[in-house]
Amino acid sequence: MLYSDKVMDHFANPRNVGEIEDADGIGEVGNAKCGDIMKMYIKVDNGVISDVKFKTFGCGAAVATSSIATEMIMGKTIDEALKLTNKAVVEALEGLPPQKLHCSVLAEQAMKSAISDYYQRQGIDPKPIVGEIGECEACH
């Protein structure tokens, strides 16, 4: 299985690792059965994501997708962040092996889950933005 230099860089030197003590939103997605669990924390100031951190338990691709997703939403408005797709994450990493594409879906869902949590804490009732998480191919 070949990974791009960008994937290897984000795996070896992940950005924004950790947690935010007083986070405005926390999202956790994953499946203990396949081993990839992502937790994302966001801090929001005036509708803009001012800080984002993550903790990921999983393979190198899961760490890399989490890392680049945090970079992609930092400094963005909530609406801009909600437009982030797993496809954009894969493109930013210059590709992922087919059996690792589910990791990019988890990164998108973790971010959207954190925003959903932020909305709930603010008393905003958003349209549902987090889909059901299916099983990854590795589980089958």
Side-chain angles (χ1 to χ4, degrees), residues 50-66:
S50 58
D51 196 10
V52 56
K53 299 258 188 268
F54 79 92
K55 282 187 161 180
T56 291
F57 178 81
C59 64
V63 172
T65 55
S66 303

Side-chain angles (χ1 to χ4, degrees), residues 15-120:
R15 282 49 148 198
N16 306 310
V17 175
E19 54 189 281
I20 300 172
E21 289 293 323
D22 56 344
D24 294 318
I26 301 171
E28 185 171 352
V29 297
N31 184 327
K33 200 160 70 176
C34 76
D36 291 327
I37 298 171
M38 291 181 189
K39 198 164 188 177
M40 204 168 281
Y41 304 79
I42 57 171
K43 195 88 182 124
V44 181
D45 290 311
N46 296 322
V48 174
I49 296 172
S50 58
D51 196 10
V52 56
K53 299 258 188 268
F54 79 92
K55 282 187 161 180
T56 291
F57 178 81
C59 64
V63 172
T65 55
S66 303
S67 172
I68 202 148
T70 62
E71 282 199 324
M72 294 170 81
I73 65 169
M74 182 86 75
K76 299 277 196 284
T77 66
I78 295 283
D79 287 344
E80 288 170 330
L82 285 172
K83 292 186 180 116
L84 179 71
T85 62
N86 69 297
K87 189 170 183 272
V89 169
V90 172
E91 284 169 7
L93 285 172
E94 296 165 2
L96 278 174
Q99 65 271 38
K100 293 295 178 183
L101 288 175
H102 70 275
C103 294
S104 64
V105 174
L106 283 176
E108 176 188 342
Q109 289 173 332
M111 180 267 305
K112 288 183 175 172
S113 176
I115 292 173
S116 182
D117 182 50
Y118 164 72
Y119 278 149
Q120 287 175 338

Side-chain angles (χ1 to χ4, degrees), residues 31 33-35 99 102 133-140:
N31 184 327
K33 200 160 70 176
C34 76
Q99 65 271 38
H102 70 275
I133 299 163
E135 297 206 341
C136 59
E137 295 80 47
C139 298
H140 299 294

